[in-house]
Amino acid sequence: MTNHWVDIKNADLVLIMGGNAAEAHPCGFKWVTEAKAHNKARLIVIDPRFNRSAAVADVYAPIRAGTDIVFLGGLINYLLTQDKIQHEYVKNYTDMSFIVKDEFAFKDGLYSGYDPAKRKYDKSSWDYVVGADGFVKTDPTLQDPRCVYNLLKEHYARYTVDMVERVCGTPADKIKQIWEMIASTSTPNRAMTILYALGWTQHSVGAQNVRIGAMVQLLLGNIGIAGGGMNALRGHSNIQGLTDIGLMSNLLPGYLTLPNESEQDYQGYIGTRTQKPMRPNQMSYWQNYPKFHVSLMKSWWGDAATKDNNWCYDYLPKLDKPYDMMQAYELMAQGKMNGYLCQGFNPLASAPNKGKLIKAFSALKFMVHMDPLSTETMEFWKNYGEFNDVDSASIKTEVFRLPTTCFAEENGSVVNSSRWLQWHWKGADAPGEARSDLEIMSELFHRIKALYAKDGGTYPDPIRDLAWKYSNPESPTPEEVAMEFSGKALADVYDPKDPTKVIRKAGEQLAGFAELRDDGSTASGVWIFCGAWGPTGNLMARRDNSDPTGIGNTIGWAWAWPANRRVLYNRASCDPAGKPWDPKRKLIGWNGTAWGGADIPDFKADENPDGGMGPFIMNPEGTARFFARGGMNEGPFPEHYEPFDTPLAKNPLSPEQALTLNNPAARVFKDDAAQFGKPDEFPHVGTTYRLTEHFHFWTKHSLLNAIVQPEQFVEIGAALADELGIANGSKVKVSSKRGHIFAVAMVTKRIKALKIEGKTVHQVGVPIHWGFLGETKKGYLANTLTNAVGDANSQTPESKCFLVKVEKA
Ligand SMILES: Nc1nc2c(c(=O)[nH]1)N[C@H]1C(S)=C(S)[C@@H](COP(=O)(O)OP(=O)(O)OC[C@H]3O[C@@H](n4cnc5c(=O)[nH]c(N)nc54)[C@H](O)[C@@H]3O)O[C@H]1N2
Ligand SMILES: Nc1nc2c(c(=O)[nH]1)N[C@H]1C(S)=C(S)[C@@H](COP(=O)(O)OP(=O)(O)OC[C@H]3O[C@@H](n4cnc5c(=O)[nH]c(N)nc54)[C@H](O)[C@@H]3O)O[C@H]1N2
Ligand SMILES: [Mo]
């Protein structure tokens, strides 16, 4: 979230699109209720189904799964042509005036630089024009036809109300009503918050769904202000922490990035990540990258990381391609990966295309599981009749199970969607033979290290040299690990303005990332967490909920990254002179000598506004970006592409060519392409989601949850049920090109048939929670139906839309 849970109460308008907060985030949803009750806020829900959030909305609109870019592209067109934008904000805080290279082009759904053989773009033309002074050229009058404003206007001119209705199936009157409501927040005294989750991310255009939402918010001046923002409602209780500490195949902690194969040279790696400002007097905060990176390497490899060996740069793997889960399963299926350590993850249930997974896991030599519960993945080899019809005798994979504790059986910190690190305390001892993940991982590390020492092996250095300074090396405590990720001084740290003054003595915990150095004198495992466990102790354990201004920031409660800041980009809540756009929702302001207020300024604390430094300090532009230069894999402006299983034969936005029917930059493995469904065989659009009464695949082990939601069902609109003669409560078969499931039919008026390009399209809802283990009735895994294709940037699977066929069983 750019903002935080409590801040939702400050909104005048709440847009829930691509998520179902009332169902999946019922505790956080209370802040939507607060906004409605105390701020006269209105709630809009746009979802394929009239869901539990829609049940309390002021306006609900249906949409075909996978078409949000069309709806929001239309909205951008509307806001620009009706001139419903916050002018001063857009002019000063975004790249609208920047001039783009002449070579950049867009035609028939494709941007310049596409290579169809590689399904990749050469992005060199997607950039601004740089002048002789080394800065990007701009036209503040916005007249230049090559400025971002005019390119954006031209791009979305095709996204008309008529087009939105034809592609999304949303009725025109609903579209206009919603656009008008949203446009009302373009004034400085009104704010809209966007709440989204998987309904936006689990698509082959998922990252662009999120981006286009952010672009709408920028046009309206809704980023950086109280009651505004782009708010990703995260999933597992610590999933925000997972990305923060870099547990993605391409990331290092704190959103630093792993080098690519072409980046063998350390200086080159650092150089491309420390960009000089692109406009005069801008901050470009990533120029501090070396401080964060060197401190990370010191944290991992301690004394072994020296200036002479480039801080152990050679120890970092260099990526030849992304190693996300779908890549791993593809490699297993091809017989190129033969061992798998699976920690707190049930991919047979949660990853797409179960049939492919069975094939992949069957090709493994061994599989190790760390989990407090039994999972379907551990038993993938076992025949459960119709629910898991495998030939056990032919599967040779050896499976090891290591029972672990769960969060309630240990101390630790959890990062919530608000970016708050909240410390928690152990509530009970672990049962039986369970051991903590930390203990198991430590033992694994020591055994591997001992094996290298005894037998040798290729490149033992990164394992041999790993720093492991815990009081009990066999079992590090969560407190020690937390202090390590926060960071400490390894030698005395000096004030850069006065090199004789020590600001932090060797051995002390650091107060924040401003104290990190690139000379090896500091260590921090996750730079954005630096200060969470500071010189005064564990700030994550704070529980002071006082809120002197009433804005809801409670900065004495736990600790938020970065720097305990509650609303990101909060400099943008003020006009260029440093005065809040809206005094009622003041977060910070300029008092003549410094920035301050109810939040920690997301800016240089003493930067005089006269200097013209922009609020988006992480970008070398100093502004927010409508034009994603080189960043996104399928293009600088979000463009609509159909899901890989689509009911349409042509992309209505680029009917000229077959290539742009689906995202032309998404990765498609060869064997998966043959498994895409076609509408003549599978005419209905399927989507998957969760229910309040279950948490993924764990709670089916709990009797009480099993009692409230005992059996797998699918939701079918009344019109489709009538057409197929399906009675409520009867059994149906739902099939896709990948496989089939049987389930109970829940016939409902909450899913309406949509008119798409002149034909009727029915959507079918498949909740995900059942499987062949647990206290509930045995069921099929929902992911039997889904496609193993992902978003072109993040590789998040397209679990939210695929073609199915529904039949009476
Ligand atoms: N009780 C409970 N709570 C949970 C979880 C749980 O298992 N149980 N899981 C947690 C986790 S890990 C996560 S990630 C979050 C997920 O939180 P959410 O994303 O809110 O949950 P989902 O149920 O997956 O679905 C979101 C909604 O997106 C809609 N949708 C599908 N496709 C589209 C589309 O193309 N466009 C639009 N606009 N909407 C679409 C679906 O109809 C559904 O209503 O929930 C968390 N909370
Ligand atoms: N079709 C479809 N598929 C989906 C989704 C969807 O909407 N539609 N949603 C996706 C999303 S957002 C998510 S997050 C995934 C969820 O997919 P998974 O993460 O695979 O599902 P969980 O059941 O949450 O599995 C987590 C496991 O962690 C174990 N665990 C709990 N605590 C601990 C611990 O402290 N240590 C260890 N080692 N293990 C622990 C639990 O017992 C459980 O077995 O599903 C994804 N799959
Ligand atoms: Mo999730």
Side-chain angles (χ1 to χ4, degrees):
M1 288 172 108
T2 56
N3 295 38
H4 58 98
W5 284 110
V6 184
D7 177 69
I8 296 169
K9 80 182 173 90
N10 298 314
D12 299 297
L13 186 63
V14 178
L15 173 63
I16 300 183
M17 186 170 183
N20 182 9
E23 180 102 43
H25 302 88
C27 296
F29 190 79
K30 70 167 173 269
W31 298 108
V32 178
T33 311
E34 286 285 314
K36 280 171 70 88
H38 300 298
N39 212 24
K40 297 199 185 76
R42 304 232 278 155
L43 169 64
I44 301 173
V45 171
I46 305 175
D47 199 287
R49 311 172 296 128
F50 184 91
N51 59 22
R52 278 175 167 163
S53 303
V56 290
D58 297 282
V59 181
Y60 162 74
I63 188 170
R64 174 167 63 99
T67 64
D68 295 61
I69 288 176
V70 186
F71 191 97
L72 296 172
L75 173 58
I76 289 181
N77 186 14
Y78 172 84
L79 295 174
L80 290 175
T81 51
Q82 302 297 308
D83 203 24
K84 294 281 189 188
I85 66 177
Q86 193 181 324
H87 284 271
E88 285 305 299
Y89 186 106
V90 167
K91 198 175 97 192
N92 291 290
Y93 299 161
T94 77
D95 65 352
M96 283 294 205
S97 64
F98 288 41
I99 313 287
V100 171
K101 283 183 174 178
D102 280 337
E103 302 88 286
F104 168 73
F106 175 80
K107 194 170 176 290
D108 302 340
L110 278 184
Y111 290 93
S112 40
Y114 189 66
D115 179 344
K118 291 191 183 141
R119 289 183 59 81
K120 265 198 178 127
Y121 281 99
D122 166 359
K123 304 176 190 169
S124 53
S125 65
W126 309 355
D127 214 339
Y128 310 125
V129 177
V130 176
D133 59 359
F135 290 121
V136 173
K137 285 194 175 169
T138 65
D139 174 16
T141 69
L142 306 184
Q143 297 301 307
D144 192 307
R146 297 297 297 172
C147 78
V148 170
Y149 175 74
N150 287 316
L151 293 176
L152 184 79
K153 227 173 159 172
E154 189 187 325
H155 190 89
Y156 291 108
R158 295 166 297 142
Y159 290 68
T160 58
V161 177
D162 174 55
M163 180 64 84
V164 176
E165 188 174 30
R166 274 166 50 201
V167 182
C168 305
T170 315
D173 56 338
K174 282 275 176 217
I175 299 171
K176 288 186 217 153
Q177 182 191 6
I178 290 172
W179 287 357
E180 261 173 47
M181 288 172 76
I182 293 177
S184 78
T185 69
S186 65
T187 57
N189 63 347
R190 280 177 63 75
M192 170 174 78
T193 177
I194 295 186
L195 309 181
Y196 70 93
L198 303 181
W200 269 1
T201 56
Q202 292 184 331
H203 292 280
S204 50
V205 292
Q208 296 282 29
N209 279 334
V210 179
R211 231 184 85 71
I212 198 165
M215 287 162 68
V216 166
Q217 288 292 61
L218 286 170
L219 286 175
L220 299 166
N222 284 336
I223 297 281
I225 66 174
M230 279 301 287
N231 294 308
L233 310 186
R234 309 291 313 253
H236 281 108
S237 81
N238 198 22
I239 202 68
Q240 179 65 50
L242 177 141
T243 38
D244 296 344
I245 65 169
L247 293 185
M248 312 275 287
S249 71
N250 60 335
L251 288 183
L252 290 170
Y255 304 94
L256 307 180
T257 48
L258 268 179
N260 294 321
E261 205 169 43
S262 61
E263 296 178 308
Q264 300 292 332
D265 167 49
Y266 177 62
Q267 292 312 328
Y269 166 81
I270 288 292
T272 54
R273 286 158 181 80
T274 49
Q275 288 185 34
K276 294 262 170 310
M278 302 178 94
R279 293 286 303 154
N281 200 32
Q282 298 307 317
M283 165 104 77
S284 191
Y285 197 78
W286 280 118
Q287 288 181 103
N288 293 300
Y289 194 99
K291 297 176 189 165
F292 312 149
H293 191 257
V294 172
S295 299
L296 170 66
M297 303 310 260
K298 290 301 288 182
S299 178
W300 282 3
W301 284 298
D303 296 339
T306 64
K307 190 172 190 328
D308 291 339
N309 66 12
N310 291 323
W311 316 106
C312 291
Y313 182 67
D314 290 348
Y315 289 9
L316 292 178
K318 313 288 183 296
L319 289 174
D320 60 339
K321 51 177 176 266
Y323 283 90
D324 53 285
M325 63 166 181
M326 288 194 288
Q327 181 82 258
Y329 303 143
E330 173 70 16
L331 290 172
M332 290 175 199
Q334 290 177 15
K336 291 181 183 159
M337 189 183 278
N338 50 32
Y340 187 38
L341 173 60
C342 191
Q343 183 184 11
F345 188 28
N346 187 3
L348 192 70
S350 60
N353 195 349
K354 182 197 173 216
K356 178 172 179 177
L357 291 164
I358 294 281
K359 184 176 165 209
F361 297 154
S362 303
L364 290 171
K365 288 206 175 89
F366 70 92
M367 192 183 223
V368 181
H369 282 275
M370 293 168 61
D371 205 295
L373 298 174
S374 281
T375 69
E376 277 77 6
T377 311
M378 298 172 188
E379 303 200 1
F380 81 91
W381 49 272
K382 215 163 157 177
N383 189 302
Y384 279 92
E386 58 171 319
F387 306 109
N388 196 46
D389 191 8
V390 293
D391 175 19
S392 299
S394 69
I395 300 174
K396 302 280 177 265
T397 313
E398 194 172 356
V399 179
F400 302 86
R401 301 186 186 198
L402 306 176
T404 68
T405 53
C406 76
F407 73 96
E409 293 154 352
E410 57 203 23
N411 291 353
S413 72
V414 159
V415 193
N416 72 1
S417 305
S418 305
R419 295 169 280 101
W420 298 358
L421 282 73
Q422 304 194 88
W423 196 259
H424 64 80
W425 291 267
K426 175 173 165 171
D429 287 328
E433 297 180 327
R435 293 168 68 186
S436 77
D437 291 78
L438 263 176
E439 247 184 304
I440 297 173
M441 283 309 219
S442 299
E443 184 164 344
L444 187 61
F445 163 68
H446 289 300
R447 289 207 198 181
I448 292 173
K449 192 172 167 177
L451 276 175
Y452 270 122
K454 184 167 143 281
D455 299 341
T458 311
Y459 208 37
D461 315 39
I463 298 285
R464 184 196 61 211
D465 291 346
L466 208 58
W468 204 268
K469 293 178 181 164
Y470 308 104
S471 49
N472 174 3
E474 304 299 326
S475 182
T477 65
E479 288 76 8
E480 285 172 311
V481 175
M483 290 175 78
E484 185 180 15
F485 69 57
S486 185
K488 68 174 180 184
L490 300 172
D492 290 352
V493 176
Y494 294 89
D495 184 349
K497 288 188 200 125
D498 176 2
T500 61
K501 193 171 141 203
V502 174
I503 54 165
R504 204 56 67 200
K505 279 194 130 44
E508 274 187 331
Q509 287 293 113
L510 300 169
F513 49 73
E515 296 180 358
L516 294 175
R517 298 290 179 264
D518 60 7
D519 60 3
S521 62
T522 58
S524 167
V526 188
W527 75 273
I528 54 173
F529 290 176
C530 191
W533 195 306
T536 60
N538 182 359
L539 304 189
M540 301 171 274
R542 295 184 304 173
R543 291 295 183 270
D544 174 2
N545 65 357
S546 47
D547 177 25
T549 67
I551 201 100
N553 273 356
T554 59
I555 58 174
W557 182 279
W559 188 87
W561 74 259
N564 200 29
R565 182 170 298 129
R566 306 295 157 136
V567 176
L568 296 180
Y569 315 114
N570 57 30
R571 165 65 181 91
S573 68
C574 296
D575 66 12
K579 213 169 111 253
W581 294 110
D582 180 1
K584 282 199 319 294
R585 54 180 86 242
K586 178 177 170 181
L587 289 170
I588 61 163
W590 172 252
N591 69 7
T593 47
W595 290 90
D599 202 358
I600 316 298
D602 194 353
F603 209 52
K604 208 165 144 223
D606 59 353
E607 176 71 21
N608 191 312
D610 291 350
M613 184 182 282
F616 292 90
I617 58 173
M618 302 308 283
N619 287 346
E621 293 94 324
T623 66
R625 259 176 227 155
F626 283 99
F627 185 80
R629 333 147 25 226
M632 308 294 288
N633 286 335
E634 63 278 86
F637 297 129
E639 170 70 3
H640 171 69
Y641 301 107
E642 285 288 314
F644 278 81
D645 267 25
T646 166
L648 302 184
K650 283 182 175 177
N651 182 343
L653 270 305
S654 54
E656 300 81 4
Q657 51 187 339
L659 189 62
T660 59
L661 176 63
N662 326 108
N663 187 340
R667 179 188 66 197
V668 177
F669 294 117
K670 205 170 104 265
D671 292 347
D672 295 333
Q675 292 203 305
F676 294 145
K678 294 277 175 281
D680 48 357
E681 206 180 340
F682 304 100
H684 314 125
V685 173
T687 189
T688 55
Y689 45 88
R690 52 228 343 107
L691 306 169
T692 305
E693 295 82 356
H694 276 299
F695 194 84
H696 298 156
F697 317 103
W698 335 7
T699 53
K700 58 180 158 55
H701 291 284
S702 148
L703 190 57
L704 286 178
N705 300 70
I707 289 168
V708 284
Q709 287 288 6
E711 186 172 12
Q712 187 165 35
F713 63 91
V714 294
E715 292 190 80
I716 296 171
L720 177 61
D722 272 358
E723 195 181 303
L724 301 175
I726 292 169
N728 189 30
S730 67
K731 214 166 191 198
V732 287
K733 181 181 182 187
V734 180
S735 7
S736 79
K737 185 82 180 171
R738 280 78 52 192
H740 69 264
I741 67 171
F742 284 91
V744 173
M746 187 214 260
V747 177
T748 173
K749 290 182 181 154
R750 292 177 285 106
I751 301 183
K752 295 264 183 266
L754 302 176
K755 262 276 177 299
I756 309 292
E757 287 285 55
K759 69 176 183 180
T760 300
V761 173
H762 297 284
Q763 303 198 87
V764 176
V766 185
I768 60 174
H769 301 292
W770 287 273
F772 45 81
L773 296 178
E775 300 295 320
T776 47
K777 290 192 186 171
K778 283 195 178 37
Y780 288 79
L781 295 171
N783 277 309
T784 307
L785 301 172
T786 48
N787 249 333
V789 66
D791 170 75
N793 301 281
S794 69
Q795 308 302 345
T796 299
E798 192 159 63
S799 319
K800 287 289 185 255
C801 40
F802 44 91
L803 292 177
V804 293
K805 176 184 185 173
V806 179
E807 295 162 275
K808 269 166 105 165

